[in-house]
């Protein structure tokens, strides 16, 4: 999406330019290695925050211009401020609220230590829960409906059963920052989400990238984390149904069933007639290795020390480096010139670049994908520092080798090497940004940003990665 939008959006952009002097100070020194990555967190947070509606900042619906009844409700989190009429060459409209994107974004608000009201609450989080509850009440045909317009009505879209799980995880994290009335709504919404998920967790669902229906590794991982956090929650009023423990056990076994002998398969096809799905029968060829396996560790319950996960992550990196099946030339250039990168896409057979009418085989690197892989490295570094053990085996050895780590490498040195690897990836994102503003994708050959601009999830992924980095260093 382009930066262009309604007068309301421009007004908010003007309102949120207190960071302009800080931006100017870093824009002159974006050469790789010259930027302290954590110092950019306030700027990235500001860019993300301007895509959240409040009672004082309202989005207009580009599909219903002038109709104030279609204006945004407080707490609506748009995917990006872009729609085709104002974004030449892009045919996608992102001025909608996706349950998944909203939850991932609101998590960063919950973790940001925002200024609180006199009552000790964060109004943005109150707004988020209230808007999420509105969308939940309007969800149809199921409570797994994935996308809503900015007024909170269900948009014709798919059912995606990772969304209620991620939303629940975020609400649990935000609970102590909500006012009493919103806490009551939060508990009711969480209980409704869990009841819904307990009825569907064994079923096929539309996947993270909204392209196929089947048995999703990412959705199962998000559901498992949700159920585990519900089981551990001390919040008064949170229900813990008898089916919770069996569901946790079942999902753990189901995730293990995605291993095909060399990697985790993102989406297994539904064979029908009640037959068991198989990792030897993915939904489509060219879909693996898929970045959502890494995202299952970042946002879900897959542990970062799972050596099968690391084996898959190693293949992800290899496929986009020189000699890989989906090689991005920009990764070779960045490595040779600056020692940064690589950047990551979604999967080898990707064709989406923001313009569905003109697909590009191979796709392009994504900012959020790259930050998510960097976060995996940071989380693993923190785990190694804590445990004093490097989980090197035959499966994970290729992953560690990409950071110069061997079985004999000391834990402290391994943690430092993993952190440096993550930094090189994030530095590529910053280097190819537009004065720190992040689009959805970068061109795989030139490195210039493309597809929709100011993608909310791109900023949230950066912030999440920096939180993980703080634990690693």
């Amino acid at each position: 999406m382009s930066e262009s939008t309604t007068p309301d959006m421009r007004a908010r952009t003007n309102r949120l330019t207190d960071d302009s002097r800080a931006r100017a100070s870093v824009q002159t020194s974006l050469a790789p290695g010259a930027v302290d990555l954590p110092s950019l967190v306030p700027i990235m947070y500001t860019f993300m925050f301007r895509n959240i509606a409040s009672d004082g900042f309202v989005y207009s619906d580009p599909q219903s211009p002038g109709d104030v009844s279609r204006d945004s409700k407080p707490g609506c989190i748009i995917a990006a401020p872009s729609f085709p009429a104002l974004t030449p060459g892009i045919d996608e409209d992102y001025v909608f609220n996706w349950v998944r994107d909203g939850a991932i974004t609101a998590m960063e608000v919950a973790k940001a230590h925002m200024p609180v009201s006199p009552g000790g609450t964060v109004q943005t989080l109150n707004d988020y829960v209230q808007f999420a509850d509105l969308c939940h009440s309007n969800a149809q045909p199921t409570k797994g409906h994935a996308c809503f317009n900015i007024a909170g009505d269900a948009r014709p879209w798919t059912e995606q059963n990772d969304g209620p799980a991620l939303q629940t995880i975020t609400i649990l994290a935000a609970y102590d920052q909500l006012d009493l009335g919103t806490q009551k709504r939060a508990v009711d919404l969480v209980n409704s989400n869990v009841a819904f998920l307990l009825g569907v967790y064994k079923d096929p669902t539309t996947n993270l990238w909204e392209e196929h229906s089947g048995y999703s590794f990412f959705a199962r991982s998000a559901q498992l984390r949700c159920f585990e956090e519900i089981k551990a929650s001390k919040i008064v009023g949170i229900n813990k149904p008898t089916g919770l423990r069996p569901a946790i056990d079942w999902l753990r076994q189901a995730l293990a069933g995605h291993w095909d002998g060399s990697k985790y398969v993102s989406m297994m096809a539904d064979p029908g007639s009640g037959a068991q799905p198989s990792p030897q029968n993915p939904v489509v060829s060219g879909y693996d290795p898929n970045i959502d396996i890494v995202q299952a560790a970042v946002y879900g319950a897959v542990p970062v020390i799972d050596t099968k996960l690391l084996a898959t992550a190693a293949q992800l990196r290899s496929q986009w480096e020189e000699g890989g099946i989906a090689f991005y030339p920009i990764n070779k250039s960045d490595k040779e010139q600056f020692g940064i990168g690589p950047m990551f896409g979604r999967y080898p057979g990707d064709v989406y670049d923001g313009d569905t009418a003109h697909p590009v085989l191979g796709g392009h690197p994504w900012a959020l994908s790259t930050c998510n892989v960097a976060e995996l490295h940071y989380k693993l570094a923190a785990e190694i520092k804590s445990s004093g053990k490097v989980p090197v085996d035959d499966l994970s050895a290729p992953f560690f080798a990409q950071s110069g780590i061997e079985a004999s490498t000391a834990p402290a040195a391994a943690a430092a090497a993993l952190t440096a690897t993550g930094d090189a990836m994030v530095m590529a994102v910053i280097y190819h940004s537009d004065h720190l503003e992040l689009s959805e994708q970068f061109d795989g050959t030139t490195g210039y940003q493309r597809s929709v601009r100011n993608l909310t999830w791109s900023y949230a992924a950066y912030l999440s990665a920096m939180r993980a980095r703080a634990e690693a260093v």
Side-chain angles (χ1 to χ4, degrees):
M1 290 168 216
S2 72
E3 181 67 28
S4 59
T5 41
T6 66
D8 283 333
M9 295 179 185
R10 289 193 293 271
R12 189 177 200 193
T13 300
N14 293 333
R15 193 186 77 182
L16 292 176
T17 53
D18 291 343
D19 65 315
S20 57
R21 284 174 292 179
R23 289 180 62 196
S25 69
V26 298
Q27 287 172 14
T28 59
S29 59
L30 285 182
V35 177
D36 176 44
L37 296 173
S39 72
L40 304 182
V41 164
I43 300 170
M44 294 301 187
Y45 186 84
T46 300
F47 289 158
M48 181 190 78
F49 194 74
R50 64 186 176 179
N51 288 347
I52 305 175
S54 70
D55 60 357
F57 171 63
V58 179
Y59 299 106
S60 298
D61 187 343
Q63 298 189 19
S64 304
D67 184 354
V68 296
S69 69
R70 310 311 302 158
D71 284 352
S72 64
K73 301 290 192 299
C76 170
I77 300 174
I78 60 171
S82 175
F83 49 97
L86 292 179
T87 315
I90 302 299
D91 60 9
E92 296 298 284
D93 185 348
Y94 275 32
V95 189
F96 291 98
N97 176 275
W98 271 266
V99 177
R100 179 195 311 105
D101 298 41
I104 288 170
T105 302
M107 177 63 81
E108 297 312 311
V109 178
K111 297 293 186 179
H113 306 293
M114 287 279 287
V116 298
S117 69
T121 68
V122 174
Q123 188 56 44
T124 300
L125 293 173
N126 288 327
D127 290 343
Y128 165 72
V129 171
Q130 292 162 15
F131 185 77
D133 190 44
L134 171 64
C135 292
H136 180 82
S137 66
N138 290 333
Q140 55 177 316
T142 79
K143 296 304 181 183
H145 197 69
C147 192
F148 297 81
N149 65 35
I150 59 177
D153 299 317
R155 171 196 188 191
W157 209 249
T158 54
E159 310 306 294
Q160 300 174 29
N161 296 336
D162 59 334
L166 295 171
Q167 185 182 83
T168 296
I169 293 165
T170 293
I171 291 174
L172 293 177
Y175 183 82
D176 289 341
Q177 300 176 66
L178 306 176
D179 62 40
L180 291 177
T182 306
Q183 285 183 339
K184 174 63 169 61
R185 292 182 71 172
V187 168
D188 291 343
L189 178 54
V190 164
N191 287 340
S192 181
N193 278 344
V194 172
F196 168 74
L197 291 171
L198 285 173
V200 300
Y201 70 89
K202 293 183 180 181
D203 298 340
T205 187
T206 303
N207 72 325
L208 171 66
W209 303 124
E210 305 186 321
E211 297 166 325
H212 301 287
S213 179
Y215 295 96
S216 165
F217 189 86
F218 178 84
R220 286 172 161 176
S221 179
Q223 291 163 0
L224 176 57
R225 180 180 172 186
C226 171
F227 290 159
E228 289 177 337
E229 294 197 8
I230 287 293
K231 186 174 181 293
S233 176
K234 304 297 184 183
I235 296 174
V236 175
I238 296 293
N239 295 335
K240 300 185 181 183
T242 56
L244 205 59
R245 180 75 258 176
I248 290 172
D249 294 339
W250 189 92
L251 284 167
R252 285 176 180 164
Q253 291 184 338
L255 285 168
H258 283 254
W259 179 252
D260 73 353
S262 66
K263 64 184 177 300
Y264 280 129
V265 172
S266 170
M267 286 288 289
M268 295 187 297
D270 181 3
S273 303
Q276 289 297 312
S278 168
Q280 309 303 327
N281 184 28
V283 289
V284 65
S285 62
Y287 216 54
D288 292 288
N290 196 304
I291 199 69
D292 71 2
I293 301 299
V294 169
Q295 292 167 323
V298 171
Y299 302 115
V302 177
V304 296
I305 59 173
D306 179 348
T307 58
K308 294 177 180 178
L309 165 73
L310 300 180
T312 309
Q315 293 179 46
L316 279 162
R317 177 169 177 171
S318 295
Q319 72 187 6
W320 286 308
E321 290 188 306
E322 188 173 12
I325 59 174
F327 168 55
Y328 294 139
I330 190 60
N331 283 338
K332 180 176 186 291
S333 175
D334 282 349
K335 180 180 180 180
E336 292 177 348
Q337 294 188 58
F338 308 117
I340 61 174
M343 296 192 291
F344 291 73
R346 299 193 300 175
Y347 54 89
D350 199 1
V351 296
Y352 174 66
D353 67 350
D355 181 13
T356 57
H358 301 89
V360 176
L361 182 61
H364 297 279
W366 286 48
L368 67 91
S369 296
T370 306
C371 288
N372 287 161
V373 179
E375 181 167 348
L376 170 64
H377 285 75
Y378 296 144
K379 285 180 176 288
L380 183 57
E383 184 68 28
I384 290 172
K385 284 183 63 177
S386 175
S387 68
K389 299 177 181 178
V390 183
V392 179
D393 63 11
D394 290 344
L395 291 172
S396 63
F399 173 88
F400 284 109
Q402 290 170 337
S403 295
I405 299 169
E406 301 175 341
S408 61
T409 304
L418 290 167
T419 301
T421 296
D423 285 353
M425 295 171 182
V426 179
M427 188 58 69
V429 171
I430 295 301
Y431 180 69
H432 292 293
S433 69
D434 182 2
H435 296 105
L436 301 180
E437 293 187 332
L438 296 176
S439 296
E440 183 180 65
Q441 301 174 41
F442 304 100
D443 190 282
T445 299
T446 68
Y448 285 105
Q449 294 197 116
R450 63 183 304 140
S451 189
V452 299
R453 294 186 63 188
N454 287 308
L455 187 77
T456 312
W457 192 351
S458 293
Y459 300 119
Y462 185 95
L463 296 172
S464 182
M466 289 300 102
R467 287 194 292 109
R469 187 184 188 278
E471 296 295 325
V473 301

